[in-house]
C-alpha cells in the first residue's frame, strides 16, 4: 500500500464515519486525487465526483472561477485554488471539496516556478488555499501535490467533527 493510499483510506473512513460527501477539482493532478480516493473500498459512500480542469476554460465555465481572476493572477494561485474547490463543491453537490493547481514542469507557467502548488479546500463555512513549493520531476511534483491534497482533506474532515 502506498502512502497516498494509506492517507486516502483514512480520509474515506473519516468522511464515511461523519456522513460527509467529498468532491475534487484538479488541474495539476488531473484526476489523481479522485482516483486514489476511488481506489479505497467504501469510497462510493463519500466521493460525489470530480472535475479535471486542466484548461482555464473549464475552470471558468464548469467551476465558475472568475475570468477576471484568471486574467489577473493566472491559473496557479491560491485564490484560483479556493475558487476551484468552491466550484467543485457546488457542481458536485458535496459537503467538502479539495482542489489542486500548480506547475509540474518542465517549464515555469504564468511566471510561477516549477514546483509551485496550491491546494484549495471548501466547506459550507470556509474556503481556504494552502501554498506549497515542491522539488522533483514532473511525476514527483504531481504525486506530492496529490498527497498534500489528501492531507488537507483529512484536516478538513477532522475539523468538521
Amino acid at each position: 500500500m502506498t502512502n497516498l493510499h494509506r492517507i486516502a483510506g483514512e480520509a474515506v473512513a473519516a468522511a464515511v464515519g461523519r456522513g460527509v460527501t467529498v468532491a475534487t477539482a484538479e488541474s495539476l493532478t488531473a484526476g489523481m486525487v479522485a482516483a486514489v480516493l476511488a481506489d479505497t473500498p467504501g469510497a462510493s459512500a463519500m466521493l460525489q465526483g470530480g472535475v479535471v480542469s486542466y484548461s482555464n476554460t473549464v475552470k471558468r465555465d464548469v467551476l465558475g472561477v472568475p475570468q477576471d481572476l484568471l486574467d489577473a493572477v493566472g491559473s496557479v494561485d491560491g485564490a484560483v485554488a479556493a475558487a476551484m474547490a468552491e466550484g467543485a463543491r457546488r457542481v458536485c453537490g458535496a459537503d467538502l471539496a479539495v482542489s489542486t493547481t500548480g506547475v509540474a514542469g518542465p517549464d515555469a507557467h504564468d511566471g510561477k516556478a516549477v514546483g509551485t502548488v496550491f491546494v484549495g479546500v471548501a466547506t459550507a463555512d470556509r474556503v481556504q488555499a494552502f501554498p506549497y513549493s515542491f522539488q522533483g520531476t514532473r511525476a514527483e511534483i504531481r504525486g506530492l501535490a496529490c498527497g498534500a491534497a489528501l492531507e488537507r482533506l483529512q484536516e478538513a474532515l477532522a475539523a468538521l467533527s
Side-chain angles (χ1 to χ4, degrees):
M1 175 183 287
T2 69
N3 190 46
L4 292 178
H5 287 93
R6 181 189 56 76
I7 298 167
E10 292 169 3
V12 168
V16 172
R18 290 171 175 81
V20 173
T21 57
V22 173
T24 64
E26 301 180 68
S27 183
L28 168 74
T29 51
M32 189 184 308
V33 176
V36 173
L37 287 169
D39 280 346
T40 305
S44 60
M46 53 75 77
L47 184 60
Q48 290 288 94
V51 176
V52 174
S53 56
Y54 222 66
S55 80
N56 283 352
T57 304
V58 175
K59 289 176 182 70
R60 181 193 68 216
D61 295 348
V62 177
L63 295 174
V65 178
Q67 184 64 52
D68 59 347
L69 176 62
L70 292 166
D71 291 343
V73 300
S75 59
V76 181
D77 187 83
V80 172
M84 288 171 61
E86 181 54 32
R89 197 178 82 75
R90 180 179 41 77
V91 289
C92 293
D95 299 312
L96 189 158
V98 64
S99 69
T100 61
T101 187
V103 185
D107 301 315
H109 179 73
D110 287 342
K112 306 292 185 350
V114 173
T116 303
V117 171
F118 294 91
V119 172
V121 177
T123 65
D125 301 325
R126 173 186 248 179
V127 181
Q128 297 175 275
F130 303 91
Y132 294 88
S133 180
F134 296 127
Q135 302 292 316
T137 65
R138 180 176 175 82
E140 288 166 344
I141 291 168
R142 291 179 71 237
L144 290 165
C146 180
L150 291 168
E151 288 169 354
R152 291 297 179 177
L153 173 58
Q154 277 185 312
E155 290 172 7
L157 288 164
L160 293 176
S161 58

